[in-house]
């Protein structure tokens, strides 16, 4: 704490102490007390309503909601006892003692704030901040306006090798789907290739068709991909339409990482970094080391913790990468060719199970293809290659990596 801060702190304590002294000697006004009681009760009622809303949206878990509600209810009871005069008789002596306790608490609280708080952060009452955040969220632009703004700032087309060959094939697919409106696989393929061409609106509409064709039991992965496409079209700004997709995903899968990530972005963009911190802290702890959002949330979490009143939060170390350990590699050097082949087969089977259950990035699929080539499992590798090309059809860089691995495994790359 600097000398200037100490001086300012002393003046603040003195002024507040004078105000408290006068207030205690006056003993207050009954109507003012009643008005203060009503205002405080309104605040607590709003807090209870907001807790229920956050629980319904999946922002907080049931145990945390119950603990927070109990704390608010405890404060309500305390407020009620105070209003009924249970905390003092109104005589001067007890009031003087109470004033001294309050001043000491003020000094201690201020010292604590200077040590762990954010003195440079602009002061604003909590309810006012929440009201501003709700207003920003209610009045933010829609998907169409955000897409138009992003297209104006970053006009296409996106150039990449092979675009000239891809465009006529996508046009043929568009024309074919006019006569096949129930072809979910066709629209799924169209969405992935439209986004590759930079046609975000066309990709979104194709994926919406996939979702519609899936009916009530639409897979969460299809909704998550729609959310990704919508966010790509707005440059990462979360629109009300994206929020509706987020809510639909979280109703089916409360721990869906893509929905949690974009929920965090939504709150950060609308003035609730405290909720972003809660969501992204949870997301960080369950994310694999190759998650595309991991770098962003690791960079943001320390600052979010400070803003959210958790300055002692320590960012955990990054998740360890999956794959053979250094000990595995060292042990393989002393193996016979047969033992090494058996170890590779075991790793391949484990990787197959993980990719089937959890998915993976292009590097994982490329590694699997190369391992298949070593084991000479050509038929199985061909099926895996086709699946990988379908998954990464909209990612030219990932496809190039997959095709390089296919060539290394002795498979055709085209």
């Amino acid at each position: 704490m600097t000398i200037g801060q100490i001086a300012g702190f002393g003046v603040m304590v003195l002024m507040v102490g004078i105000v408290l002294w006068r207030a205690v000697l006056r003993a207050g006004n009954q109507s003012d007390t009643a008005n203060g009681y009503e205002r405080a009760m309104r605040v607590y009622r709003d807090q209870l309503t907001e807790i229920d809303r956050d629980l319904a949206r999946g922002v907080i878990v049931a145990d945390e909601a119950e603990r927070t509600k109990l704390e608010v209810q405890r404060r309500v009871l305390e407020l009620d006892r105070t209003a009924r005069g249970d905390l003092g008789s109104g005589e001067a002596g007890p009031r003087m003692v109470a004033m001294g306790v309050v001043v000491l608490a003020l000094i201690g609280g201020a010292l604590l704030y200077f040590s762990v708080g954010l003195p440079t952060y602009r002061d604003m009452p909590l309810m006012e901040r929440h009201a501003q955040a709700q207003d920003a969220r209610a009045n933010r632009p829609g998907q169409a306006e955000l897409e138009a703004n992003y297209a104006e700032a970053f006009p296409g087309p996106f150039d990449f090798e092979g675009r000239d060959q891809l465009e006529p094939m996508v046009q043929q697919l568009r024309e074919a789907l006019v006569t096949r409106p129930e072809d979910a696989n066709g629209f799924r393929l169209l969405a992935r290739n439209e986004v590759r061409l930079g046609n975000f609106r066309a990709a979104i509409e194709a994926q919406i068709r996939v979702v519609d064709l899936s009916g009530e039991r639409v897979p969460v992965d299809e909704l998550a991909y729609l959310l990704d496409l919508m966010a790509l079209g707005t440059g990462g700004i979360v629109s009300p339409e994206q929020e509706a997709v987020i809510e639909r995903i979280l109703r089916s899968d409360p721990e869906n990482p893509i929905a949690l990530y974009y929920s965090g972005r939504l709150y950060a963009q609308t003035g609730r970094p405290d909720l972003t911190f809660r969501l992204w802290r949870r997301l960080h702890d369950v994310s694999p080391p190759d998650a595309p959002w991991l770098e962003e949330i690791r960079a943001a979490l320390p600052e979010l913790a400070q803003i959210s009143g958790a300055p002692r939060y320590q960012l955990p170390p990054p998740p360890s990468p999956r794959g053979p350990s250094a000990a595995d590699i060292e042990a393989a050097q002393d193996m016979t060719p047969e033992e090494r082949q058996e170890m590779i087969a075991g790793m391949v089977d484990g990787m197959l199970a993980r990719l089937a259950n959890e998915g993976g990035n292009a590097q994982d699929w490329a590694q699997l293809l190369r391992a298949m080539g070593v084991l000479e499992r050509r038929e199985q590798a061909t099926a895996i290659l086709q699946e990988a090309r379908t998954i990464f059809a909209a990612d030219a860089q990932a496809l190039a990596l997959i095709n390089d691995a296919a060539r290394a495994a002795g498979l055709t790359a085209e």
Side-chain angles (χ1 to χ4, degrees):
M1 187 185 299
T2 66
I3 294 176
Q5 288 173 333
I6 294 172
F9 166 67
V11 171
M12 178 183 69
V13 172
L14 178 61
M15 293 177 66
V16 173
I18 292 171
V19 171
L20 287 172
W21 183 280
R22 294 178 62 188
V24 170
L25 292 180
R26 280 199 311 269
N29 175 289
Q30 289 299 324
S31 63
D32 289 343
T33 301
N35 290 337
Y37 174 80
E38 289 300 325
R39 285 196 297 270
M41 287 298 292
R42 280 198 298 270
V43 169
Y44 289 139
R45 282 195 293 268
D46 290 343
Q47 288 178 347
L48 289 171
T49 300
E50 187 167 353
I51 291 167
D52 289 334
R53 191 160 47 239
D54 287 345
L55 176 62
R57 288 178 48 78
V59 174
I60 57 177
V61 296
D63 289 346
E64 183 180 354
E66 187 63 27
R67 286 195 300 272
T68 309
K69 278 187 175 182
L70 287 174
E71 175 61 21
V72 174
Q73 290 165 356
R74 184 191 66 76
R75 294 177 185 176
V76 169
L77 291 174
E78 189 74 18
L79 177 67
D80 188 62
R81 283 196 296 270
T82 303
R84 293 173 183 272
D86 293 341
L87 299 181
S89 64
E91 297 178 358
R95 291 202 300 270
M96 295 291 288
V97 173
M99 185 190 74
V101 172
V102 170
V103 171
L104 288 174
L106 171 66
I107 294 171
L111 288 170
L112 179 64
Y113 174 74
F114 272 104
S115 65
V116 303
L118 294 173
T120 59
Y121 197 70
R122 186 173 75 87
D123 184 32
M124 183 185 294
L126 179 63
M127 296 306 294
E128 183 181 343
R129 289 203 303 271
H130 289 186
Q132 287 192 3
Q134 289 177 352
D135 185 65
R137 186 165 160 188
N139 295 293
R140 69 193 192 276
Q143 181 75 21
E145 182 179 348
L146 291 171
E147 285 181 26
N149 293 341
Y150 184 66
E152 183 178 353
F154 300 97
F158 297 166
D159 291 326
F160 57 88
E161 185 178 353
R163 182 185 179 95
D164 292 342
Q165 290 77 31
L166 181 61
E167 282 184 321
M169 290 190 291
V170 172
Q171 180 58 33
Q172 290 176 5
L173 181 58
R174 292 179 195 133
E175 294 170 356
L177 289 174
V178 171
T179 60
R180 303 204 314 262
E182 305 299 316
D183 185 354
N185 287 330
F187 282 103
R188 187 177 293 111
L189 182 61
L190 180 62
R192 281 156 174 73
N193 284 284
E194 291 283 18
V195 73
R196 191 176 171 192
L197 293 172
N199 301 329
F200 296 123
R201 176 39 41 190
I204 291 167
E205 290 175 354
Q207 185 62 20
I208 288 174
R209 185 62 184 156
V210 173
V211 170
D212 290 344
L213 289 171
S214 299
E216 291 297 322
R217 296 190 176 184
V218 55
V220 171
D221 288 348
E222 299 290 7
L223 290 170
Y225 187 59
L226 173 60
L227 178 58
D228 259 334
L229 291 177
M230 295 174 77
L232 281 173
T234 61
I237 301 176
V238 182
S239 67
E241 291 85 349
Q242 291 175 49
E243 184 180 358
V245 178
I246 290 171
E247 292 176 348
R248 189 173 176 184
I249 293 171
L250 292 177
R251 282 197 297 269
S252 299
D253 181 8
E255 298 297 322
N256 184 270
I258 295 177
L260 292 178
Y261 168 70
Y262 284 115
S263 289
R265 288 188 68 91
L266 166 63
Y267 287 120
Q269 291 164 5
T270 54
R272 290 300 305 271
D274 56 317
L275 297 182
T276 301
F277 174 65
R278 288 187 200 173
L279 290 167
W280 281 6
R281 181 179 186 176
R282 196 163 104 212
L283 177 59
H284 177 278
D285 294 342
V286 299
S287 292
D290 54 1
W293 52 78
L294 192 59
E295 183 177 352
E296 178 184 349
I297 66 174
R298 282 186 62 80
L301 277 172
E303 183 177 356
L304 289 170
Q306 290 286 330
I307 295 172
S308 303
R312 298 186 185 278
Y313 170 75
Q314 295 292 323
L315 184 67
S320 301
R322 294 177 290 189
S325 65
D328 291 334
I329 295 173
E330 183 177 354
Q333 295 175 354
D334 299 327
M335 291 179 178
T336 65
E338 292 78 12
E339 290 172 336
R340 191 176 298 115
Q341 195 85 346
E342 184 178 350
M343 184 193 75
I344 294 173
M347 289 182 176
V348 165
D349 291 339
M351 187 177 292
L352 273 170
R354 178 169 61 79
L355 290 178
N357 293 325
E358 304 175 23
N361 58 23
Q363 288 83 356
D364 289 337
W365 287 88
Q367 183 181 355
L368 179 59
L369 284 170
R370 286 190 290 268
M372 286 289 187
V374 172
L375 295 175
E376 297 185 353
R377 297 185 185 177
R378 297 298 174 81
E379 184 176 347
Q380 192 176 13
T382 299
I384 290 169
L385 174 60
Q386 295 304 317
E387 184 176 358
R389 284 175 174 167
T390 301
I391 292 171
F392 298 102
D395 189 334
Q397 187 174 358
L399 275 178
L401 183 64
I402 296 294
N403 287 333
D404 287 344
R407 279 189 287 267
L411 305 173
T412 175
E414 303 299 337

